[in-house]
Amino acid sequence: MKKVKLKVPATVANLVCGFDILGMAVHDPYDEMEFKLLDTPEIIIKHQDAFGLPEKASENVAGIVLLKIQEHLNLSHGFEVIIRKHIKPGSGLGSSAASAAGAAFGANLLLKNILSKDEMVHFAMFGEELASGVRHADNIAPCLYGGITLVKSADPVDIIPLNAPQLFVAAVHPQVEVKTSDSRQILKKNISLKSAVEQWGNIAGLIAGIQKNDFSLIGRSLHDVIIEPVRSILIPKFDEIKLKSLEMGALGGGISGSGPSVFMLTEQKETAEKISQMMKSVYDSTGIESFVYVSKINPSGIQIVEEAYP
Ligand code: HSE
C-alpha cells in the first residue's frame, strides 16, 4: 500500500504590508497528515483532533482539494487522509491553508509528482475558497515552497520564492474569534493614492530587505497603513503588544493573516522568547487565554516524515 506522512507547518500571511501577496512558513505549530492511495475512487477524511471539522469530502478543506485533483486527472484512485490538526482553525496561522496545501502535496507524492508546485497551489486554493470564500494563496504558497513567498499572481498562479532570512518569529494566539470572512468584510474597498504609494514603498523595501538579509530595512518596512489600522480594532491589546515588542527589540510585526494572532520578527531567539512571555502575560492579565509559539522561519515548508511505496 502506498502511504505518506507529513508535517504541515503554520504560516503567517501578509507579513504586515503585503496583504494577500506575502507569506512566511514557521515550524510551530504544525498539523500531521497521513495519506493512503486507494484502489477505489472514494475520498475518506478522518480528523483525529478536537475541532469538530466536517469529514464529508466536499465539505472538508483537504477533501475538496483531493476531489478537484481527482476530477482534473480523471483518477480511478481515491485517498484516505487522517488529519491531526494542531493549528487551530480561525487562529490566523494558516490552519485551512495547511489542510489544503497538505492535501495537494500528499496526493502529488502518491501520484509520483505529477503536479508542479504552482499546480498544487492552484488546487489548494479550492480549500481556502471553501474555508473563507476567497481564493488567496499567501498562506498556501509558503506552506508548499517554504520560507517567504511572493504571490505575484494567484490567477494564473505565479509564485516567487524569496530568501528565508535567519530570523525568529514570536507569535501569540489570543482565544478570541476573528473570522477571515468578517475581517475581510470590514476592509475599505478604496484607498487613497497617498496610502498606496506609502504601502508600495514598504512592500518593495520589505522584499529588498528579505533578499539582501538587511534586517534594519526589514524592520523599517514592516508598516501597514491600509489594513492594520482597520483590523487591529478586532484584536484586544494589539497596540500594547506591538509597542512593548518594539521596545523589547523586535524588528517589527503585526497581525498574522486576518488575525487574531499577532507575530513579531526578531534577530535573537532570546528576544523572541522574552516577547512571547510578555505577549502571554498581557493576555493573562486581561483574563484572555492565549497560546504562544517561538520558531525560526521555516525554509522548507511541508516535511515528509514517512514514505512507503511497496
Ligand atoms: N491575506 C489573507 C487576509 C490571509 O489577510 O485576509 C487570511 O489568512
Side-chain angles (χ1 to χ4, degrees):
M1 181 182 289
K2 290 184 179 180
K3 51 184 186 179
V4 294
K5 196 169 164 182
L6 308 176
K7 232 171 123 170
V8 187
T11 45
V12 172
N14 300 339
L15 283 186
V16 183
C17 49
F19 179 68
D20 276 0
I21 62 166
L22 292 176
M24 150 181 96
V26 295
H27 287 282
D28 222 10
Y30 61 86
D31 288 350
E32 296 167 275
M33 296 178 84
E34 286 178 36
F35 295 78
K36 277 183 202 159
L37 190 64
L38 305 177
D39 290 330
T40 50
E42 307 128 281
I43 308 280
I44 303 167
I45 309 285
K46 294 179 186 163
H47 268 280
Q48 295 182 349
D49 50 49
F51 302 117
L53 296 167
E55 291 185 330
K56 189 176 168 195
S58 58
E59 293 168 14
N60 180 279
V61 168
I64 190 85
V65 175
L66 296 172
L67 282 170
K68 293 287 179 185
I69 292 175
Q70 191 184 45
E71 183 187 296
H72 175 77
L73 297 173
N74 206 8
L75 294 178
S76 56
H77 289 291
F79 302 90
E80 182 189 287
V81 190
I82 298 173
I83 307 173
R84 279 184 286 280
K85 198 162 253 315
H86 308 289
I87 313 167
K88 271 188 119 178
S91 57
L93 290 168
S95 180
S96 51
S99 293
F105 189 98
N108 183 54
L109 268 182
L110 292 175
L111 299 171
K112 299 185 185 154
N113 294 313
I114 195 166
L115 302 171
S116 70
K117 274 192 181 165
D118 279 2
E119 283 172 327
M120 285 191 255
V121 171
H122 167 80
F123 288 110
M125 276 196 290
F126 287 103
E128 287 289 43
E129 192 175 17
L130 181 71
S132 69
V134 186
R135 286 176 64 77
H136 64 94
D138 48 341
N139 291 101
I140 289 167
C143 199
L144 284 166
Y145 281 81
I148 299 179
T149 50
L150 164 67
V151 181
K152 190 184 166 308
S153 159
D155 185 18
V157 176
D158 188 357
I159 307 298
I160 317 295
L162 304 175
N163 193 16
Q166 299 282 324
L167 291 174
F168 292 86
V169 186
V172 61
H173 175 203
Q175 301 301 287
V176 292
E177 196 186 350
V178 177
K179 282 194 184 145
T180 297
S181 47
D182 293 342
S183 71
R184 293 183 79 92
Q185 197 73 41
I186 60 167
L187 298 175
K188 290 184 202 159
K189 301 290 173 280
N190 297 295
I191 56 168
S192 70
L193 187 59
K194 182 174 176 288
S195 301
V197 171
E198 215 174 310
Q199 199 84 348
W200 291 329
N202 286 327
I203 297 168
L206 182 56
I207 292 175
I210 291 166
Q211 294 305 82
K212 290 164 69 169
N213 273 310
D214 182 337
F215 298 156
S216 160
L217 178 55
I218 290 175
R220 297 202 306 283
S221 306
L222 285 168
H223 294 289
D224 174 6
V225 294
I226 296 170
I227 309 292
E228 184 180 289
V230 182
R231 277 188 172 168
S232 57
I233 53 170
L234 300 175
I235 304 171
K237 298 284 168 190
F238 177 81
D239 291 339
E240 182 178 334
I241 284 181
K242 187 167 174 181
L243 189 68
K244 284 188 171 158
S245 300
L246 295 174
E247 282 169 2
M248 291 169 75
L251 289 174
I255 304 169
S256 177
S258 55
S261 291
V262 175
F263 81 101
M264 290 289 150
L265 288 178
T266 70
E267 285 183 63
Q268 306 298 331
K269 189 173 184 201
E270 301 75 59
T271 317
E273 276 165 354
K274 281 187 191 147
I275 287 173
S276 74
Q277 286 157 15
M278 174 276 292
M279 289 165 154
K280 179 125 193 56
S281 70
V282 167
Y283 284 118
D284 283 351
S285 68
T286 54
I288 297 172
E289 197 192 352
S290 65
F291 298 104
V292 289
Y293 306 97
V294 172
S295 76
K296 275 180 137 171
I297 295 176
N298 177 343
S300 37
I302 298 174
Q303 189 189 330
I304 302 165
V305 182
E306 223 177 282
E307 280 182 278
Y309 306 105

